[in-house]
Amino acid sequence: MEAALIGFPLKPSLLNPFPGGFTSSPPGRRDLLKLAAVAPKNSILVSKDHLDDGDGQENEKEELSRESYNALIQSHCAKGRLDRSLHLLSRMEAAGMRPSTACYARLVYALGRTGRTLEADAVFREMKWSGRRLTSREYNALLGGFLRKGQLLMADRLLVEMSKEGIDRNRETYMLLLDSYVHSGRLEDTWWVLGEMKEKGFWLDSFVYSKIIRLYRDNGMWKKAMSLVTEMHELGIEPDVRMYNGMIDTFGKYGQLDEAVKIFEKMQSTGLKPDIMTWNALIQWHCKAGDLKQALGFFAKMQEAGLYPDPKIFVNIINRLGERGRWDEMKKLFEGMKYRGLRESGIVYSILVDIYGQYGTFHNAEECVAALKAEGMQVSASIYCVLANAYAQQGLCKQTLKVLQLMEADGIEPNLIMLNLLMNAFGIAGRHFEAMAVFEHIKESGISPDVVTYCTLMKALMRGKKYEQVRLFLFFFPVCSV
């Protein structure tokens, strides 16, 4: 929390130096938010029916009351139509009206959730300069956006601003910080948050402890993670499913599979029902340890519990069975899945097997997607990612790229996961120039690279024996906002 110790002037955002209007710096966004000249005549109140897509668009052209504007802006936020919400905000201000505090907070939260933190901050400043009395709820809406995008310096500055304004940090504030610090592996900052929570008397429940266990696991401190379980028992805190999942995953990661199974059995004895994360951890670590028989046993029990198999975990099983040439067992798995009614999942996994398999039936991405659609299946972004990952692991660059193009053709915007997979495919194929081109595209697109992005690129450069470039990335990596 070094940034929290540095003094700095809190001045109006460059996005909006004048509190009378709301603007945004990018030209395209400025055009979008251009204030409409609407004379404040007799306003009408929009009914609930007007919030629907068709009626809402028609009635937005009419003169609206303050309550109608608030309702429409929040409705569009809930449906992900943020550009329309911002357009309505500009119209509302042009008519001499201001949104309610709840409406402002909803818009800040929605913008922050989609990574549009620049606009979220501008709306927040507009809300603050309008004379509203802000609470921790409004600050948390913006803080969550900064933390989700990895803008930790901005988050620290906002915390300093909260302190200067005399606004106390509540439990939600600390939970947002804890989630971000655990996710980014910031051990010392996590300890600081826990210390603050204990000092202020906030109750530490099993949800908090599960996050700490996850952080200890990722830092190789699995014995210390297990000591937290004793601490929980002393405090009378009963572990929940999330807590047990963390313990199973921790034991599995460090090869203590017998202990992981004991925790699983204890979990069942307490009456808690294992969820998809429980089964994933058990299957994943048994696969990694080479105990395929036990992994397949858990896989069968998971299906008996009525849960859909995770494609990522299924890929691990395919790899193991493929390495041993046990294709007949794969067919048995599919038959069992169809028998249990998991037909759509069976289609996806069958194609994955063909990609990994010896005959290569679907080595063409177009044929693969066409086969899914022919079965009446809607190909979602997650399925595209699974298919791209399957091709990428084989080093099939053209097919990975083709999946990306097919995804765009279906109107699904490629995300960072897809671009990382494409970079990985080029790296496995030894094409580090193309991997670097994908990295540059990520930055030019305004997407913030994450740890996986940099690690994938460095592996690609190492495969191409470009060690000097790897050293440069290692030099700049600590200061990157990932």
Side-chain angles (χ1 to χ4, degrees):
M1 301 295 294
E2 294 179 359
L5 302 177
I6 300 174
F8 62 92
L10 291 174
K11 54 185 179 182
S13 169
L14 295 176
L15 294 174
N16 192 354
F18 306 103
F22 179 79
T23 59
S24 181
S25 56
R29 196 66 62 200
R30 256 200 312 271
D31 294 338
L32 175 68
L33 300 176
K34 191 176 291 182
L35 300 180
V38 180
K41 296 181 181 178
N42 295 330
S43 298
I44 63 169
L45 183 64
V46 174
S47 66
K48 290 184 179 180
D49 294 336
H50 292 160
L51 298 180
D52 295 335
D53 292 350
D55 294 338
Q57 291 182 32
E58 290 298 322
N59 286 279
E60 283 174 17
K61 298 176 183 178
E62 301 176 8
E63 295 166 6
L64 307 175
S65 68
R66 181 174 182 269
E67 291 78 9
S68 301
Y69 273 118
N70 284 331
L72 280 169
I73 289 172
Q74 293 186 68
S75 174
H76 289 319
C77 284
K79 296 175 183 178
R81 296 193 291 258
L82 299 180
D83 288 342
R84 201 177 297 173
S85 294
L86 292 172
H87 175 69
L88 282 170
L89 176 63
S90 66
R91 282 187 55 193
M92 189 177 185
E93 291 184 339
M97 292 179 279
R98 293 281 185 182
S100 65
T101 303
C103 183
Y104 268 130
R106 183 65 178 268
L107 186 53
V108 169
Y109 176 78
L111 289 166
R113 248 192 112 68
T114 55
R116 296 167 66 170
T117 52
L118 196 66
E119 293 156 298
D121 185 55
V123 175
F124 179 82
R125 298 300 156 196
E126 180 76 20
M127 174 171 53
K128 188 175 180 182
W129 293 327
S130 67
R132 306 299 169 87
R133 183 175 179 82
L134 304 185
T135 64
S136 56
R137 179 172 176 264
E138 288 75 45
Y139 275 94
N140 289 340
L142 182 59
L143 179 66
F146 285 145
L147 293 172
R148 271 187 290 271
K149 199 170 181 180
Q151 296 174 321
L152 300 181
L153 180 60
M154 298 294 291
D156 286 348
R157 288 182 175 181
L158 193 65
L159 290 172
V160 173
E161 183 179 334
M162 285 180 71
S163 298
K164 287 185 177 180
E165 296 291 335
I167 298 173
D168 292 330
R169 301 166 188 172
N170 58 15
R171 181 182 171 79
E172 184 187 355
T173 309
Y174 287 114
M175 292 306 296
L176 287 169
L177 291 169
L178 188 65
D179 189 59
S180 174
Y181 292 154
V182 169
H183 185 72
S184 57
R186 298 166 71 93
L187 189 60
E188 291 185 6
D189 286 334
T190 302
W191 284 336
W192 170 81
V193 172
L194 290 173
E196 287 265 308
M197 291 182 75
K198 289 180 178 178
E199 184 181 334
K200 295 190 176 183
F202 289 115
W203 176 254
L204 302 182
D205 56 13
S206 59
F207 180 74
V208 175
Y209 277 102
S210 65
K211 287 186 175 294
I212 306 169
I213 285 179
R214 175 183 163 188
L215 182 62
Y216 284 160
R217 176 204 65 195
D218 294 340
N219 282 273
M221 305 164 65
W222 69 272
K223 290 184 178 179
K224 191 172 182 63
M226 292 305 104
S227 68
L228 288 177
V229 180
T230 305
E231 182 179 330
M232 287 181 63
H233 283 302
E234 291 174 353
L235 294 173
I237 301 173
E238 288 296 327
D240 57 8
V241 174
R242 190 183 291 106
M243 185 74 183
Y244 276 113
N245 288 347
M247 289 188 281
I248 290 170
D249 202 31
T250 301
F251 278 125
K253 184 174 183 179
Y254 294 99
Q256 307 292 321
L257 296 179
D258 290 339
E259 294 296 325
V261 173
K262 287 179 182 177
I263 294 293
F264 173 69
E265 291 170 349
K266 183 178 179 181
M267 173 185 178
Q268 290 182 306
S269 68
T270 60
L272 292 173
K273 187 177 180 181
D275 61 10
I276 189 68
M277 299 302 294
T278 315
W279 297 110
N280 283 349
L282 290 166
I283 295 169
Q284 178 186 0
W285 297 120
H286 279 91
C287 267
K288 190 171 183 180
D291 191 350
L292 195 55
K293 182 179 178 181
Q294 186 78 298
L296 290 172
F298 285 124
F299 185 80
K301 290 178 182 178
M302 175 180 64
Q303 292 181 80
E304 289 171 3
L307 296 173
Y308 281 75
D310 186 336
K312 294 178 183 178
I313 301 302
F314 196 79
V315 166
N316 288 335
I317 297 176
I318 291 173
N319 276 329
R320 293 295 180 181
L321 290 173
E323 287 170 4
R324 302 181 186 187
R326 294 163 63 176
W327 303 99
D328 290 338
E329 290 194 39
M330 290 189 191
K331 291 180 181 178
K332 290 179 182 178
L333 283 177
F334 293 134
E335 288 172 2
M337 290 167 67
K338 290 177 182 177
Y339 177 76
R340 293 185 178 91
L342 306 180
R343 182 174 170 275
E344 287 193 353
S345 294
I347 296 166
V348 178
Y349 303 138
S350 294
I351 290 174
L352 285 174
V353 170
D354 282 322
I355 293 170
Y356 276 86
Q358 49 193 347
Y359 300 112
T361 306
F362 290 109
H363 269 190
N364 184 298
E366 286 179 297
E367 292 178 7
C368 177
V369 174
L372 288 170
K373 291 181 177 179
E375 294 287 344
M377 187 173 185
Q378 185 177 359
V379 185
S380 63
S382 60
I383 291 176
Y384 273 117
C385 287
V386 169
L387 294 174
N389 184 54
Y391 286 123
Q393 293 298 324
Q394 294 280 51
L396 301 172
C397 310
K398 290 183 179 179
Q399 299 310 318
T400 308
L401 183 59
K402 191 66 183 177
V403 172
L404 189 70
Q405 292 168 346
L406 291 169
M407 185 178 179
E408 288 182 314
D410 274 357
I412 302 172
E413 185 178 349
N415 53 26
L416 183 60
I417 296 173
M418 282 290 295
L419 294 170
N420 285 346
L421 290 172
L422 181 59
M423 192 189 305
N424 186 45
F426 283 129
I428 292 172
R431 296 166 62 177
H432 63 276
F433 286 113
E434 287 87 346
M436 181 66 78
V438 175
F439 176 73
E440 293 299 331
H441 172 74
I442 290 172
K443 294 198 295 182
E444 290 170 5
S445 300
I447 302 173
S448 299
D450 60 8
V451 175
V452 176
T453 309
Y454 285 98
C455 291
T456 303
L457 180 59
M458 286 191 282
K459 284 194 291 185
L461 292 172
M462 289 174 70
R463 288 189 180 105
K465 299 183 179 179
K466 301 296 179 182
Y467 302 116
E468 286 299 319
Q469 288 180 268
V470 174
R471 288 179 62 189
L472 285 173
F473 273 101
L474 287 172
F475 178 75
F476 286 109
F477 181 75
V479 297
C480 296
S481 295
V482 296

